[in-house]
Amino acid sequence: MKLAVFDTHRFDREALEAANARYGHTLVFFEPRLTAQTARLAQGFDAVCSFVNDKVDAATLELLHAGGTRLVALRSAGYNHVDLAAAARLGLKVVRVPEYSPYAVAEHAVALVLALNRRIHQAHARVRDWNFSLDGLVGFDLHGKTVGVVGTGRIGRAAARIFHGFGCRLLCFDAAPEAEVERELGARYVPLETLLREADIISLHVPLTPGTHHLVDAAALEKMKRGVMIINTGRGALIDSRALIDALKRGHIGAAGLDVYEEEEGIFFQDLSGQVLQDDVLARLLTFPNVLVTSHQAFLTREALGNIADTTLSSLQAFERGQPLLHEVSAGQVLRAPPRTE
Ligand code: NAI
């Protein structure tokens, strides 16, 4: 099949080309993100491959459809950037990569916890300046601390297992609790309010849906323990960034590790060094010594990239052969939120 790959970076081009040796599709790589402005590049392509910060809204989908595209292959697990109702109306199939390495993302979440807690970023900057003092670098033992895991799907569960290994107590919140998580990890499912009140560290692993948008807002932040650490490797808009800044300024939030940011589109994945950063909220977040921001890189391991490429190209093959699409996403799949309070 002819596949137009949008928002191409060197790392995914290499992985897709290597995997394509087994499939023989025709891959054409485009650097721009997929939006209504760039959709015409896909004219005559059977399928497009889209990344997390593309804008796959109704306007984009209509242009793709008019150009002959029949399949939208997301090389991501999240699909919040796609208008699934519009895709269904146009008869466009949408597939994703539901699981490529939950470990990659979970391990990155834990890396943020460890770096923030033991102030590795500050320590590194100090010693490079030949400042070998330890003042201000005091952390805490993870052992015995309470970790709140919000969303115990593939990634949340992988993170929970790692925290369990550290000797942490686990509180979980999920629309669909899994008895196995409680059995295996001694975790306890609790209402979100309880988790917010009791956790020393909160790690977000739910998808972005209307029900989870600004799940962490000013009211939720207020319920948290003073000094709590918040980690977000889910999607940026799970957190109200302005409310987070306010809570950080007041010292209510002890630390924040953010791999995603609600306005990351057009910023993350780009080299903007030498330019003036136009996003004042992100710029403010970057000034806090107790905030670590990474540019949506939690997925970025060799294993994950290989699996993303393989799953994407095998979905194309199934589509071409008229076989069932194992990883199709449809509008009805969006979960309803469970109650957040007791
Ligand atoms: P998953 O589908 O396996 O798990 C999601 C869990 O969230 C499920 O257990 C589900 O029941 C729960 N959930 C959904 N809506 C909920 C709600 N309203 N309230 C409470 N629980 C709810 O997904 P997976 O693979 O664990 O990924 C989670 C998210 O991580 C993805 O949706 C994506 O946004 C993000 N992600 C981020 C990456 C990064 O590089 N930073 C890479 C991959 C995924």
Side-chain angles (χ1 to χ4, degrees):
M1 274 181 86
K2 262 184 86 182
L3 177 71
V5 182
F6 282 84
D7 200 9
T8 307
H9 302 270
R10 199 173 62 219
F11 55 79
D12 37 33
R13 182 177 183 144
E14 284 169 3
L16 280 163
E17 282 180 336
N20 198 36
R22 296 190 290 281
Y23 293 94
H25 298 297
T26 303
L27 308 183
V28 177
F29 296 94
F30 296 106
E31 277 184 23
R33 291 187 296 126
L34 175 59
T35 64
Q37 283 70 46
T38 61
R40 283 195 182 83
L41 289 169
Q43 178 100 27
F45 283 81
D46 313 302
V48 296
C49 184
S50 143
F51 201 32
V52 284
N53 286 332
D54 292 340
K55 202 165 181 188
V56 195
D57 57 9
T60 304
L61 290 164
E62 273 158 24
L63 288 164
L64 290 175
H65 181 259
T69 295
R70 294 292 170 261
L71 178 71
V72 178
L74 312 175
R75 54 184 195 283
S76 60
Y79 48 86
N80 50 283
H81 56 300
V82 184
D83 186 336
L84 292 173
R89 181 166 43 77
L90 293 162
L92 278 167
K93 297 279 185 198
V94 180
V95 290
R96 64 174 180 139
V97 185
E99 176 166 3
Y100 42 85
S101 171
Y103 313 109
V105 184
E107 287 167 15
H108 192 78
V110 178
L112 289 172
V113 171
L114 292 171
L116 280 165
N117 175 29
R118 306 308 295 267
R119 299 166 203 257
I120 301 298
H121 52 305
Q122 290 165 296
H124 180 64
R126 271 190 199 187
V127 296
R128 281 164 58 111
D129 233 6
W130 296 2
N131 173 355
F132 299 100
S133 80
L134 297 181
D135 286 334
L137 299 183
V138 179
F140 55 83
D141 284 6
L142 276 175
H143 184 93
K145 293 295 177 299
T146 300
V147 177
V149 179
V150 179
T152 53
R154 299 171 187 89
I155 297 170
R157 233 175 297 175
R161 280 196 195 99
I162 303 173
F163 288 121
H164 180 64
F166 279 121
C168 297
R169 168 183 174 242
L170 290 168
L171 295 180
C172 301
F173 172 73
D174 198 290
E178 287 278 349
E180 187 203 321
V181 175
E182 295 195 310
R183 258 198 320 271
E184 181 194 341
L185 306 174
R188 199 156 56 86
Y189 280 97
V190 292
L192 184 61
E193 248 187 56
T194 310
L195 183 152
L196 298 180
R197 225 176 26 236
E198 294 187 18
D200 301 297
I201 297 167
I202 296 175
S203 196
L204 305 179
H205 301 288
V206 282
L208 179 63
T209 66
T212 60
H213 184 267
H214 284 185
L215 186 77
V216 176
D217 58 8
L221 287 160
E222 213 41 55
K223 288 175 189 147
M224 294 176 191
K225 264 189 187 173
R226 190 172 175 81
V228 67
M229 182 188 292
I230 302 175
I231 303 296
N232 188 7
T233 57
R235 282 292 180 266
L238 296 176
I239 298 182
D240 178 343
S241 311
R242 287 185 168 80
L244 176 64
I245 288 173
D246 181 57
L248 281 160
K249 280 166 75 178
R250 288 186 286 111
H252 185 65
I253 300 302
L258 310 172
D259 184 52
V260 283
Y261 165 60
E262 53 184 327
E263 302 295 338
E264 69 181 53
E265 219 181 285
I267 300 177
F268 283 15
F269 307 130
Q270 320 292 322
D271 180 358
L272 302 180
S273 52
Q275 297 185 32
V276 175
L277 186 59
Q278 296 299 322
D279 187 315
D280 291 350
V281 175
L282 179 59
R284 182 66 177 103
L285 281 169
L286 290 168
T287 65
F288 291 100
N290 50 348
V291 172
L292 260 183
V293 176
T294 50
S295 178
H296 206 137
Q297 76 174 74
F299 72 99
L300 200 62
T301 66
R302 273 190 293 277
E303 292 79 0
L305 289 170
N307 291 336
I308 290 170
D310 195 63
T311 305
T312 302
L313 299 181
S314 78
S315 289
L316 248 72
Q317 188 179 65
F319 183 78
E320 190 173 30
R321 294 179 177 175
Q323 293 166 346
L325 293 175
L326 299 179
H327 307 304
E328 183 172 357
V329 249
S330 54
Q333 233 163 302
V334 180
L335 266 167
R336 220 171 311 149
R340 293 182 188 181
T341 51
E342 279 157 300

